[in-house]
Amino acid sequence: MGPRSPAVLLLLLLGPIALAQEPAPVELGPPVRDAVTCFEFRVARLAKLEPLAGAWMRYAFSVPLPGGGAARIEAGLAGPRTTLAGLTTEWRKELGSAGWTDEGETAAGADRVLRFRHPKEGALRTVRLIRRHGRTWVLGTRFPAAEESAFAPIAEAVAASFKVTGVPADGVVPVLDGGGRRRLEELRLEIPVPGGVKEVPPAGTWVVLEYRCLVPNGGGCVIAVAASEPEETWEQFLGTALEAYKGMGYPLVEDRREPDARTGAAATLRFRKGEDSRAALFFKTPHAGVGLLFSYLTEEEAPWLEFIEEFARSSKIEGPAKKRSPRLVDVPLGDPVRDEELGIEIRIPKAAKKKDPQGWLKLVWLLELPDGNTGSLHVGRADEGEDLASFVTTVKMGEGGDGFEVVSERRDDWATGASLVLESRREKDRMGSLDFFYETAGRHVMVGFGFTLERTSQWRKITREVLASFRVTAVSDDRLAPPAGAEPSEEGDLVFHAPSKAIPPKALKALKDEVAAALALARDLTGGPAPERKIAVHVFPDSSRVRKVARTTEADAPAAVYVPEGRVVLVNAAPTAGGGRPLGSRCEAVLLAYLDAWLGTPRGLPPWVEAALREAARAAKVAGGKAVPDLKSSPLAPWIRGNARKDPWPPVESVLEAPRAKFGPSRQDFAAYALGIALGLRAASDEKLRTAIPRLLAELRRTRDPQAAQGAALEGIAAKALDAAARAALGKG
C-alpha cells in the first residue's frame, strides 16, 4: 500500500521524547469508530475533519499546534492482498520520489513505524503499519519539524488509542443499488447511490458532489461528480482534469478522446500511482462538461472497471438547461491601505497575505479563496520620467518572460477609471492576468491581478471590488490646500473652508446655500441617502485655484470643480461668464463629490448614467428655494432648439452601450439625449421607469458590477419606453 497524493500522511513519533518537565496530559476527543473496516481511534479534541486523499483512507484530521502550524492525522485500511514488506517498500518508493528522505524504521510491538523527513518543506512524516488478522491498517502523521516536541505527546496518545475491532468482510466494490438515487437539478443529472456511502465536502473547485464508499475489504473508493466552469470550453475542462491529477502526482495511463459505447462517455482518462488508481469519465452536454470521477485500489481494477461501467450506464446526464452562472463567493475587504510613496489608497481582501515585492513591483499580496483557489494582487510603479507607453511595454516584457501572452488591450476603461487595461493568459497552466494602469501626477501606477482562468468570474468580482476602492492620492502641488485664512464650518453634510474676511458675509451665505441646494439635488437625482462622510468644500475669493486645477484660462474658469484625489470640492466665489452658469457648475461638482462619498468611488458609472446625471446637474435652476433640473437652463438648450426638428437623436441602444467619449463636447447629440433620459425618467408616471437610475446606483453600490447593475435596473423596461421618455422631455425644449 503506498501513499496516495501529495496529501499529508500520518506521522507517529515512536518512543518517548525526553522533556525537561512533565508534559501536560493530552486531551483527546471521543472515539472515531469505523464498523466496516473494523478499527477505532481518538484524535485531539481540537482536531478538524479534512478532505481525504487516496482511496485507502477513511479519515483525515488537522490538529492546530502551539507554534501556529498544523499537523495532519490520517487512518485507513490497506488492500486485502498486501504484505507488510510490500507496503514498506511501496511507501519508501513513493515518498522517496516526492523528495522525502528515509530516516529508517522502528518496531512498536507488532507494528512497524516508518519515518521520513522533507528537507525543503521542513516537515516530518511517520507511517505506522498495524498488522492484525492478516490485514494491515495504516496510521500516520505529518507536521512541521520545528514543532516536533509539541506534537509528540499528541501523536503518542493517538497511536495508543488505535484499536482493531474485528475482521473486515471480503467485499471488493460497493453495492450499486443499495442507497437509492441522487439528482442534481442544476446539472439535470441523476446517479445511483451505492450502499454504505457517505457524502463528504467536495475536494477542489471543479467537484460539485463527492461520496466516500465504505468497501468492506478496505481500500475504499471515492465517487465524485465534476462540472466545467461557465468560462471553460470542452478541451479546457479536460485540461483542468489533467492538471488536477498531475498536481496530485498521478501519471496518466490512458487518454481516450472518443465516445465509449460501454459507458456513454465522450472522453475517458485513467491514472495510476502505485496501488492507487483513478478513472474519470467525461460527458459533453450543450451547456457544460460533466465528469464522473472514481478512485480505487489498482489490485482490484477488474471488478472496479465493471462497477464503473454499470454506474455510468445507470446514470442520467442531461446537463444544465442553460449556461450556468459562475459560482462566486464574497471576499471581504480590509481597511484602506494608503501608500504615500506610491501616492495611492486601496483596500485589499482581509484574507490576503502580504509578500516581499521584487523589481518594479512595490506591493504584493497572495490570496487564497475559501474553495482553495489562489491568486495574487500587486501594485507596480513606473520609473522616474517613464511615460505610460514605456511602462506598459515594461510590464508586457516582464509577463512575456513568464510565458504570458496579451489577449486584449483597451484604453479608457470607464468601469475602473484605468487609462489602459491589459489582459493576458498562459495556457500551459491555465493562468490569467489583468493589469490596470493609472496616470498620476507623479509616476504611473499599475494594479494587477493573477489567477487561474477557471475562476475568471470570481476574480473579476474581486477586481471590481478592489478597484472600486482604489484612488490616486498623489498631487504635484498645493492644489488641495484650503484657501489662506480659511475658517472651517460644518453645515449639515458639508464642511466649508472659506476666508470670511475675503468674501462678503452676504455673498458667502448665498454661496453656501447654493452648495447645500446642489447637494440636495444630487440626492434627488440619485435617490441616495445622506453621505456617509461629510463633503469638504474649499471656497476661494477668485478663480486662480480652480483655474489651476481645471487647467483653463481666466475667462473659462468654472464656478466649481471636484478633485477626487483629495475628495474636495473647490468653489470659485467670483466666477466669470465664460465658465458657464455658476449654479450648474457647482451642482455638477457637488454631484461628483456625493457619488464618490456614497458609492465609495468616483468611477464605475455606466457612461450614459454619468452623462445623464451630469447634464441634469448642469441644467439646474432655483425654484421654490430648491435646485431643480430644467431643460431651458441647460447649456445644451440652444443646440436642442436648433436641431430638435431634424430628429438628431441616436438610437437608444447605441446610447446605452456608448463609451464615455461619445458624450463629450464633440457629440452634443449624445449628451443632449442623456439629458433627455434624466429628465424623462424623473417625469415618468411608471414607477419602474422613474426609479431606474436610483435602482441602478443602489445595485452598483451593492455589487460593484456596472453591467450587472444596469441589467438589473433596466430589466422589464423596454428600449422603446426609455426612448419615448427621453424624446418627450427633449420635445419640450
Side-chain angles (χ1 to χ4, degrees), residues 387-422:
D387 60 23
L388 182 62
S390 177
F391 183 35
V392 172
T393 300
T394 298
V395 174
K396 286 182 179 178
M397 291 177 63
E399 294 188 346
D402 291 333
F404 283 86
E405 294 184 5
V406 176
V407 295
S408 74
E409 180 176 336
R410 61 182 185 274
R411 297 185 177 275
D412 299 324
D413 183 48
W414 59 265
T416 62
S419 300
L420 186 140
V421 181
L422 281 184

Side-chain angles (χ1 to χ4, degrees), residues 214-243:
L214 303 180
V215 182
N217 77 340
C221 173
V222 172
I223 298 175
V225 177
S228 62
E229 293 289 346
E231 298 90 349
E232 282 186 302
T233 63
W234 171 253
E235 290 299 327
Q236 289 169 350
F237 181 42
L238 297 182
T240 297
L242 288 169
E243 287 298 322

Side-chain angles (χ1 to χ4, degrees), residues 293-635:
L293 316 178
F294 304 86
S295 71
Y296 52 88
L297 292 176
T298 302
E299 62 182 306
E300 298 163 354
E301 187 164 49
W304 270 110
L305 292 181
E306 292 181 9
F307 171 84
I308 290 170
E309 289 181 14
E310 185 179 357
F311 187 97
R313 289 194 298 267
S314 300
S315 301
K316 296 180 180 179
I317 303 174
E318 300 178 58
K322 59 181 181 180
K323 187 175 181 180
R324 297 177 303 144
S325 299
R327 291 174 287 167
L328 306 181
V329 297
D330 291 326
V331 179
L333 302 184
D335 295 331
V337 175
R338 191 179 181 96
D339 191 292
E340 298 297 342
E341 181 186 359
L342 295 177
I344 64 165
E345 180 181 287
I346 191 170
R347 294 180 66 194
I348 299 299
K350 291 181 179 179
K353 297 180 180 179
K354 195 170 184 179
K355 299 295 182 181
D356 293 333
Q358 295 182 352
W360 52 271
L361 291 179
K362 303 303 178 184
L363 298 171
V364 177
W365 293 269
L366 294 183
L367 174 63
E368 181 173 350
L369 301 179
D371 60 12
N373 181 261
T374 57
S376 65
L377 299 85
H378 43 271
V379 180
R381 184 179 64 177
D383 290 334
E384 188 73 45
E386 187 176 22
D387 60 23
L388 182 62
S390 177
F391 183 35
V392 172
T393 300
T394 298
V395 174
K396 286 182 179 178
M397 291 177 63
E399 294 188 346
D402 291 333
F404 283 86
E405 294 184 5
V406 176
V407 295
S408 74
E409 180 176 336
R410 61 182 185 274
R411 297 185 177 275
D412 299 324
D413 183 48
W414 59 265
T416 62
S419 300
L420 186 140
V421 181
L422 281 184
E423 184 170 358
S424 308
R425 62 177 55 191
R426 187 171 61 198
E427 288 293 346
K428 69 176 183 179
D429 56 357
R430 303 290 297 149
M431 291 297 295
S433 171
L434 282 170
D435 300 320
F436 299 82
F437 295 82
Y438 294 88
E439 298 183 68
T440 74
R443 304 183 193 179
H444 303 302
V445 174
M446 182 275 282
V447 183
F449 303 81
F451 48 88
T452 54
L453 290 173
E454 285 65 41
R455 299 295 281 153
T456 296
S457 294
Q458 176 68 64
W459 277 91
R460 287 192 187 279
K461 179 178 186 293
I462 295 171
T463 297
R464 289 193 301 268
E465 294 172 351
V466 169
L467 292 180
S469 74
F470 175 79
R471 68 175 59 245
V472 174
T473 59
V475 290
S476 58
D477 50 41
D478 61 350
R479 57 181 178 160
L480 299 184
E487 299 173 0
S489 64
E490 287 192 20
E491 300 191 16
D493 295 313
L494 299 163
V495 179
F496 290 93
H497 296 260
S500 56
K501 295 182 180 180
I503 303 174
K506 187 175 181 180
L508 182 57
K509 182 181 184 307
L511 187 147
K512 289 182 177 180
D513 290 343
E514 192 173 273
V515 173
L519 178 57
L521 174 61
R523 292 185 57 189
D524 182 46
L525 289 172
T526 61
E532 296 180 359
R533 55 177 170 77
K534 295 186 181 296
I535 296 175
V537 181
H538 294 179
V539 182
F540 297 87
D542 56 41
S543 66
S544 58
R545 182 70 64 83
V546 174
R547 186 177 72 249
K548 184 176 183 180
V549 172
R551 298 178 181 178
T552 64
T553 64
E554 173 70 30
D556 295 327
V561 64
Y562 177 60
V563 186
E565 291 92 339
R567 295 173 174 167
V568 61
V569 176
L570 308 183
V571 176
N572 174 9
T576 61
R581 298 174 57 257
L583 177 61
S585 177
R586 288 165 185 164
C587 284
E588 181 184 9
V590 172
L591 168 74
L592 296 177
Y594 173 75
L595 287 171
D596 193 350
W598 180 39
L599 299 178
T601 175
R603 302 180 299 274
L605 289 176
W608 70 272
V609 175
E610 181 182 341
L613 293 174
R614 295 181 75 156
E615 293 300 338
R618 288 171 183 158
K621 74 172 186 178
V622 176
K626 296 182 178 180
V628 295
D630 180 77
L631 183 61
K632 293 181 180 180
S633 300
S634 169

